[in-house]
Amino acid sequence: MEGSLPRPARSRPLEQPTAPPARRRDDARRLPLVLSLLAVLAITFVLTENRRIERRSHFEEKTRRGTDDLRERRIPPVIWQTWRSRPDPATPLGRQVRLLKARNPSHQYHFVDDKAQATFMRTNMTGAVADAYFSIDPENGAARADLWRYMVVLKEGGLYADSDVLVTEPFAEWDALDPAMGCEVVIGLENDFHLCQWAIFSLRPHHPLLDNVVSFVLRRIMEGSRKSLKWTELLRLDEPVHFVHEYTGPKAVSYTHLTLPTKA
């Protein structure tokens, strides 16, 4: 026909995809399980919060009554770190240090290089402790740093972490480090066998556990001296890191905590 145009095809409505009946049945079966898990998580959170609030109230009440002084019991909000020298802020190590400080503005921060470390030991320590520290060859910085960290945390309290440790949450958000929780010692695990004294090693000042660690480490160093093992010679062993780990590091700390009684 003259002037006629083809009629446009009718648009069909889009069909909504539907889940197969079997899948819908599986989803229906999982729903009670998911709801149960959510309920368990909610109950656990409420109980944990209640317990935390109860403990906080308990310690605060004891403090008000004068039967417990949290100022003496608490781990001070102080961070200690050490390295051979202050790291360049542009290096990965420098960025780690800067990040730790930025995430913990409420904590005092102390970075101690090898020179300042030796000054602290010379100024504050005498007798066997000073003799042991300065008998360690400066090339064996790990062993010297071990003994220094025990003494600075024993004297001042606070939290030690190696400079390359990554801390993802501010310490102010850790319940265990909240003074009202009454924790005097917070130490992480290196592995299934050893405590970790190079990250999250925190105690109140003059804690007897750390007294025992220092006594044990000093005995180990003296044992090495009696065997005529010079520190410079020990550095030439096939695996000198294992020597440090056992004599002044995590293995020594773990043995001390697990086997020696503490002073009341």
Side-chain angles (χ1 to χ4, degrees):
M1 296 187 318
E2 187 177 353
S4 64
L5 296 174
R7 299 177 67 181
R10 291 186 179 179
S11 59
R12 302 179 62 185
L14 294 176
E15 295 182 0
Q16 297 296 326
T18 57
R23 183 176 174 182
R24 289 201 298 270
R25 285 196 297 271
D26 290 342
D27 291 344
R29 292 194 194 101
R30 291 195 191 100
L31 184 59
L33 177 60
V34 172
L35 293 176
S36 299
L37 289 174
L38 290 174
V40 169
L41 289 174
I43 293 171
T44 303
F45 174 79
V46 170
L47 293 177
T48 302
E49 277 297 296
N50 286 343
R51 177 60 177 161
R52 188 174 71 85
I53 293 170
E54 287 174 2
R55 289 192 64 185
R56 180 190 292 271
S57 301
H58 169 72
F59 284 111
E60 288 177 348
E61 180 63 24
K62 289 181 70 176
T63 302
R64 281 195 295 271
R65 293 179 180 178
T67 56
D68 194 8
D69 191 345
L70 292 182
R71 289 170 298 181
E72 294 181 1
R73 288 169 52 96
R74 73 171 185 166
I75 298 172
V78 180
I79 299 171
W80 300 95
Q81 291 195 297
T82 188
W83 189 244
R84 300 185 195 94
S85 58
R86 184 171 291 275
D88 184 338
T91 63
L93 191 62
R95 288 193 291 271
Q96 289 282 74
V97 169
R98 192 169 67 250
L99 184 62
L100 181 67
K101 291 174 61 178
R103 284 181 172 161
N104 296 281
S106 61
H107 281 61
Q108 295 180 28
Y109 178 83
H110 299 279
F111 185 93
V112 181
D113 60 17
D114 283 359
K115 184 177 179 180
Q117 201 185 102
T119 299
F120 173 88
M121 297 298 285
R122 188 178 293 109
T123 304
N124 295 280
M125 303 300 152
T126 57
V129 174
D131 292 343
Y133 178 85
F134 289 105
S135 72
I136 302 173
D137 193 295
E139 293 180 23
N140 195 343
R144 275 195 165 196
D146 283 342
L147 187 53
W148 166 80
R149 92 187 50 163
Y150 302 146
M151 299 315 303
V152 77
V153 175
L154 179 64
K155 182 177 185 297
E156 305 289 344
L159 185 148
Y160 175 85
D162 273 2
S163 301
D164 57 353
V165 168
L166 174 62
V167 178
T168 58
E169 297 293 336
F171 294 132
E173 296 180 7
W174 293 28
D175 282 348
L177 294 175
D178 185 340
M181 298 300 285
C183 295
E184 300 180 31
V185 180
V186 179
I187 301 178
L189 291 175
E190 183 182 54
N191 51 42
D192 291 341
F193 305 101
H194 298 128
L195 298 172
C196 179
Q197 45 75 276
W198 48 265
I200 318 306
F201 181 75
S202 49
L203 299 92
R204 69 159 171 82
H206 308 294
H207 196 283
L209 283 177
L210 204 45
D211 267 331
N212 286 334
V213 170
V214 171
S215 298
F216 181 74
V217 168
L218 292 180
R219 286 201 301 273
R220 299 304 296 270
I221 294 175
M222 293 302 104
E223 286 173 12
S225 300
R226 285 197 297 271
K227 293 175 183 176
S228 299
L229 295 175
K230 295 181 180 179
W231 291 92
T232 50
E233 294 172 354
L234 290 167
L235 284 172
R236 300 189 185 98
L237 295 177
D238 291 337
E239 298 185 52
V241 173
H242 288 182
F243 170 82
V244 173
H245 193 278
E246 181 171 341
Y247 267 63
T248 63
K251 188 170 183 179
V253 173
S254 304
Y255 179 84
T256 302
H257 287 335
L258 295 175
T259 62
L260 296 182
T262 62
K263 291 179 257 183

Coordinates of all heavy atoms in Angstrom, one line a residue, residues 59-107:
F59 N 38.1 -2.5 89.5 CA 39.4 -1.9 89.8 C 39.3 -0.4 90.2 O 40.0 0.1 91.0 CB 40.3 -2.1 88.6 CG 40.9 -3.5 88.4 CD1 40.5 -4.3 87.4 CD2 41.8 -4.0 89.4 CE1 41.0 -5.5 87.2 CE2 42.3 -5.2 89.2 CZ 41.9 -6.0 88.2
E60 N 38.3 0.3 89.6 CA 38.1 1.7 89.9 C 37.6 1.8 91.4 O 38.0 2.7 92.1 CB 37.2 2.3 89.0 CG 37.8 2.6 87.6 CD 36.8 3.2 86.6 OE1 35.6 3.2 86.9 OE2 37.2 3.6 85.5
E61 N 36.7 0.9 91.8 CA 36.2 0.9 93.1 C 37.3 0.6 94.1 O 37.5 1.3 95.2 CB 35.1 -0.1 93.3 CG 34.5 -0.2 94.7 CD 33.8 1.1 95.1 OE1 33.4 1.9 94.2 OE2 33.7 1.4 96.3
K62 N 38.2 -0.4 93.8 CA 39.3 -0.7 94.7 C 40.3 0.5 94.8 O 40.8 0.8 95.9 CB 40.1 -1.9 94.2 CG 39.3 -3.2 94.3 CD 40.1 -4.4 93.8 CE 41.3 -4.7 94.8 NZ 42.1 -5.9 94.3
T63 N 40.4 1.2 93.7 CA 41.3 2.4 93.8 C 40.7 3.5 94.6 O 41.4 4.1 95.4 CB 41.5 2.9 92.3 OG1 42.1 1.9 91.5 CG2 42.5 4.1 92.3
R64 N 39.4 3.7 94.5 CA 38.7 4.7 95.4 C 38.8 4.4 96.8 O 39.0 5.2 97.7 CB 37.3 4.8 95.0 CG 37.0 5.7 93.7 CD 35.6 6.1 93.6 NE 34.7 4.9 93.4 CZ 34.4 4.4 92.2 NH1 34.8 4.9 91.1 NH2 33.6 3.3 92.2
R65 N 38.8 3.1 97.2 CA 38.9 2.7 98.6 C 40.3 2.7 99.1 O 40.5 2.5 100.3 CB 38.3 1.3 98.7 CG 36.8 1.2 98.5 CD 36.3 -0.2 98.6 NE 34.8 -0.3 98.4 CZ 34.2 -1.5 98.4 NH1 34.8 -2.6 98.7 NH2 32.9 -1.5 98.2
G66 N 41.3 2.8 98.2 CA 42.6 2.8 98.6 C 43.2 1.4 98.8 O 44.3 1.3 99.4
T67 N 42.5 0.4 98.4 CA 43.1 -1.0 98.5 C 43.9 -1.4 97.3 O 44.4 -2.5 97.3 CB 41.9 -2.0 98.7 OG1 41.0 -1.9 97.6 CG2 41.2 -1.7 100.0
D68 N 43.9 -0.6 96.3 CA 44.7 -1.0 95.1 C 45.0 0.3 94.3 O 44.1 1.1 94.1 CB 43.8 -1.9 94.2 CG 44.7 -2.5 93.1 OD1 45.9 -2.4 93.2 OD2 44.1 -3.2 92.2
D69 N 46.2 0.5 94.0 CA 46.7 1.7 93.3 C 47.0 1.4 91.9 O 48.0 0.9 91.6 CB 47.9 2.3 94.0 CG 48.2 3.7 93.5 OD1 47.7 4.1 92.5 OD2 49.0 4.4 94.2
L70 N 46.1 1.8 91.0 CA 46.3 1.4 89.6 C 47.4 2.2 89.0 O 48.0 1.8 88.0 CB 45.0 1.7 88.8 CG 43.8 0.9 89.1 CD1 42.6 1.2 88.2 CD2 44.1 -0.6 88.9
R71 N 47.7 3.4 89.6 CA 48.9 4.1 89.1 C 50.2 3.4 89.2 O 51.1 3.5 88.4 CB 49.0 5.5 89.8 CG 47.8 6.4 89.4 CD 47.8 7.6 90.3 NE 47.6 7.3 91.7 CZ 47.5 8.1 92.7 NH1 47.6 9.4 92.5 NH2 47.2 7.7 93.9
E72 N 50.3 2.5 90.3 CA 51.5 1.7 90.5 C 51.4 0.4 89.7 O 52.4 -0.1 89.2 CB 51.6 1.4 92.0 CG 52.0 2.7 92.8 CD 52.2 2.3 94.3 OE1 52.1 1.1 94.6 OE2 52.4 3.2 95.1
R73 N 50.2 -0.1 89.5 CA 50.0 -1.4 88.8 C 50.0 -1.3 87.3 O 50.3 -2.3 86.6 CB 48.7 -2.0 89.2 CG 48.6 -2.5 90.7 CD 47.2 -2.9 91.0 NE 46.6 -3.8 90.0 CZ 46.5 -5.1 90.1 NH1 47.1 -5.7 91.2 NH2 45.9 -5.8 89.2
R74 N 49.7 -0.1 86.8 CA 49.4 0.0 85.3 C 50.7 -0.1 84.5 O 51.8 0.2 85.0 CB 48.7 1.2 85.0 CG 49.6 2.5 85.1 CD 48.9 3.7 84.6 NE 49.7 4.9 84.6 CZ 49.5 6.0 83.9 NH1 48.4 6.1 83.2 NH2 50.3 7.0 83.9
I75 N 50.6 -0.5 83.2 CA 51.6 -0.4 82.3 C 51.6 1.1 81.7 O 50.6 1.5 81.2 CB 51.4 -1.4 81.1 CG1 51.5 -2.8 81.7 CG2 52.5 -1.2 80.1 CD1 51.1 -3.9 80.7
P76 N 52.7 1.8 81.9 CA 52.7 3.2 81.5 C 52.5 3.3 80.0 O 53.0 2.5 79.2 CB 54.0 3.7 81.9 CG 54.5 2.8 83.0 CD 53.9 1.4 82.6
P77 N 51.8 4.4 79.5 CA 51.6 4.6 78.1 C 52.9 5.1 77.5 O 53.0 6.3 77.1 CB 50.5 5.6 78.0 CG 50.6 6.4 79.3 CD 51.1 5.4 80.3
V78 N 53.9 4.3 77.4 CA 55.2 4.7 76.9 C 55.7 3.6 75.9 O 55.6 2.4 76.2 CB 56.3 4.8 78.0 CG1 57.6 5.2 77.5 CG2 55.8 5.8 79.1
I79 N 56.2 4.1 74.7 CA 56.7 3.2 73.7 C 58.2 3.3 73.6 O 58.7 4.4 73.5 CB 56.1 3.5 72.3 CG1 54.5 3.3 72.4 CG2 56.6 2.6 71.3 CD1 53.8 3.8 71.2
W80 N 58.9 2.2 73.6 CA 60.4 2.1 73.4 C 60.7 1.4 72.1 O 60.2 0.4 71.8 CB 61.0 1.4 74.6 CG 60.8 2.0 75.9 CD1 59.8 1.7 76.8 CD2 61.5 3.1 76.5 NE1 59.8 2.5 77.9 CE2 60.9 3.4 77.8 CE3 62.6 3.9 76.1 CZ2 61.3 4.4 78.6 CZ3 63.0 4.9 77.0 CH2 62.4 5.1 78.2
Q81 N 61.6 2.0 71.4 CA 62.2 1.3 70.2 C 63.6 1.6 70.1 O 64.1 2.6 70.6 CB 61.4 1.8 68.9 CG 60.0 1.4 68.8 CD 59.4 1.5 67.4 OE1 59.3 2.6 66.9 NE2 59.0 0.4 66.8
T82 N 64.4 0.7 69.4 CA 65.8 0.9 69.2 C 66.2 0.4 67.8 O 65.6 -0.5 67.2 CB 66.6 0.2 70.3 OG1 68.0 0.6 70.2 CG2 66.5 -1.3 70.2
W83 N 67.3 1.0 67.4 CA 68.0 0.6 66.1 C 69.4 1.2 66.1 O 69.7 2.0 67.0 CB 67.2 1.0 64.9 CG 67.7 0.4 63.6 CD1 68.2 1.1 62.5 CD2 67.6 -1.0 63.2 NE1 68.5 0.2 61.5 CE2 68.1 -1.0 61.9 CE3 67.2 -2.1 63.8 CZ2 68.3 -2.2 61.2 CZ3 67.3 -3.3 63.2 CH2 67.9 -3.4 61.9
R84 N 70.2 0.7 65.2 CA 71.6 1.2 65.2 C 71.6 2.8 65.2 O 72.4 3.4 65.9 CB 72.4 0.7 64.0 CG 72.4 -0.8 63.9 CD 73.3 -1.2 62.7 NE 73.1 -2.6 62.4 CZ 72.3 -3.1 61.5 NH1 71.5 -2.3 60.8 NH2 72.1 -4.4 61.3
S85 N 70.8 3.3 64.3 CA 70.7 4.8 64.2 C 69.3 5.1 63.8 O 68.5 4.2 63.4 CB 71.7 5.3 63.2 OG 71.4 4.7 61.9
R86 N 68.9 6.4 64.0 CA 67.5 6.7 63.6 C 67.3 6.5 62.1 O 68.0 7.1 61.3 CB 67.2 8.2 64.0 CG 65.8 8.6 63.8 CD 65.5 10.0 64.4 NE 65.6 9.9 65.8 CZ 64.5 9.6 66.6 NH1 63.4 9.3 66.0 NH2 64.6 9.6 67.9
P87 N 66.3 5.8 61.8 CA 66.1 5.5 60.3 C 65.6 6.7 59.5 O 64.9 7.6 60.0 CB 65.0 4.4 60.4 CG 64.2 4.6 61.7 CD 65.3 5.1 62.6
D88 N 66.0 6.7 58.3 CA 65.6 7.7 57.3 C 64.1 7.6 57.1 O 63.6 6.6 56.8 CB 66.3 7.5 56.0 CG 66.1 8.6 55.0 OD1 65.0 9.3 55.1 OD2 66.9 8.8 54.1
P89 N 63.4 8.8 57.3 CA 61.9 8.7 57.2 C 61.4 8.2 55.8 O 60.3 7.8 55.7 CB 61.5 10.2 57.4 CG 62.6 10.8 58.2 CD 63.9 10.1 57.7
A90 N 62.3 8.3 54.8 CA 61.9 7.9 53.4 C 62.0 6.4 53.2 O 61.5 5.9 52.2 CB 62.7 8.6 52.4
T91 N 62.7 5.7 54.1 CA 62.9 4.3 54.0 C 61.7 3.5 54.6 O 60.9 4.1 55.4 CB 64.2 3.8 54.7 OG1 64.0 4.1 56.1 CG2 65.4 4.6 54.2
P92 N 61.5 2.2 54.2 CA 60.4 1.4 54.8 C 60.5 1.4 56.3 O 59.4 1.5 57.0 CB 60.6 0.1 54.2 CG 61.3 0.3 52.9 CD 62.2 1.5 53.2
L93 N 61.7 1.3 56.9 CA 61.8 1.3 58.4 C 61.4 2.6 59.0 O 60.7 2.7 60.0 CB 63.2 0.9 58.8 CG 63.5 0.6 60.2 CD1 62.7 -0.6 60.7 CD2 65.0 0.4 60.5
G94 N 61.8 3.7 58.3 CA 61.4 5.0 58.8 C 59.9 5.2 58.7 O 59.3 5.9 59.6
R95 N 59.3 4.7 57.7 CA 57.8 4.9 57.6 C 57.1 4.1 58.7 O 56.1 4.5 59.2 CB 57.3 4.4 56.2 CG 57.7 5.4 55.1 CD 57.0 5.1 53.8 NE 57.4 3.9 53.2 CZ 58.4 3.8 52.3 NH1 59.1 4.9 52.0 NH2 58.8 2.7 51.8
Q96 N 57.6 2.9 59.0 CA 57.0 2.1 60.1 C 57.1 2.8 61.4 O 56.1 2.9 62.2 CB 57.8 0.8 60.2 CG 57.6 -0.2 59.1 CD 56.2 -0.9 59.2 OE1 55.2 -0.4 58.9 NE2 56.3 -2.2 59.6
V97 N 58.2 3.4 61.7 CA 58.4 4.2 62.9 C 57.4 5.4 63.0 O 56.7 5.6 64.0 CB 59.8 4.7 63.1 CG1 60.0 5.7 64.2 CG2 60.8 3.5 63.3
R98 N 57.3 6.1 61.9 CA 56.4 7.2 61.8 C 55.0 6.8 62.0 O 54.2 7.5 62.6 CB 56.6 8.0 60.5 CG 56.0 9.3 60.4 CD 56.4 10.1 59.2 NE 55.9 9.5 58.0 CZ 56.7 9.0 57.1 NH1 58.0 8.9 57.3 NH2 56.3 8.5 55.9
L99 N 54.6 5.7 61.4 CA 53.2 5.2 61.5 C 52.9 4.8 62.9 O 51.8 5.1 63.4 CB 53.1 4.0 60.5 CG 51.7 3.4 60.4 CD1 50.7 4.4 59.9 CD2 51.7 2.2 59.5
L100 N 53.8 4.1 63.6 CA 53.6 3.7 65.0 C 53.3 5.0 65.9 O 52.4 5.0 66.7 CB 54.8 2.9 65.5 CG 54.6 2.4 67.0 CD1 53.5 1.4 67.1 CD2 56.0 1.9 67.5
K101 N 54.1 6.0 65.7 CA 53.9 7.2 66.4 C 52.6 7.9 66.1 O 51.9 8.3 67.0 CB 55.1 8.2 66.2 CG 56.4 7.8 66.7 CD 57.6 8.7 66.3 CE 57.4 10.1 66.7 NZ 58.5 11.0 66.3
A102 N 52.3 7.9 64.8 CA 51.0 8.6 64.4 C 49.8 7.9 65.0 O 48.8 8.5 65.3 CB 51.0 8.7 62.9
R103 N 49.9 6.6 65.1 CA 48.7 5.8 65.5 C 48.6 5.8 67.0 O 47.6 5.3 67.6 CB 48.8 4.4 65.0 CG 48.4 4.2 63.6 CD 48.5 2.8 63.1 NE 48.0 2.6 61.8 CZ 48.2 1.6 60.9 NH1 49.0 0.7 61.3 NH2 47.7 1.6 59.7
N104 N 49.6 6.3 67.7 CA 49.5 6.3 69.2 C 49.9 7.7 69.8 O 50.9 7.8 70.5 CB 50.5 5.2 69.7 CG 50.1 3.8 69.3 OD1 49.2 3.2 69.9 ND2 50.7 3.3 68.3
P105 N 49.1 8.7 69.5 CA 49.4 10.0 70.0 C 49.4 10.2 71.5 O 49.9 11.1 72.0 CB 48.4 10.9 69.2 CG 47.2 10.0 69.0 CD 47.9 8.7 68.7
S106 N 48.6 9.3 72.1 CA 48.5 9.4 73.6 C 49.7 8.8 74.3 O 49.7 8.9 75.6 CB 47.2 8.7 74.0 OG 47.2 7.3 73.7
H107 N 50.6 8.1 73.6 CA 51.7 7.5 74.2 C 53.0 8.4 74.1 O 53.2 9.0 73.1 CB 52.0 6.2 73.6 CG 51.1 5.1 74.1 ND1 49.8 5.1 73.9 CD2 51.4 3.9 74.7 CE1 49.2 4.0 74.4 NE2 50.2 3.3 74.9

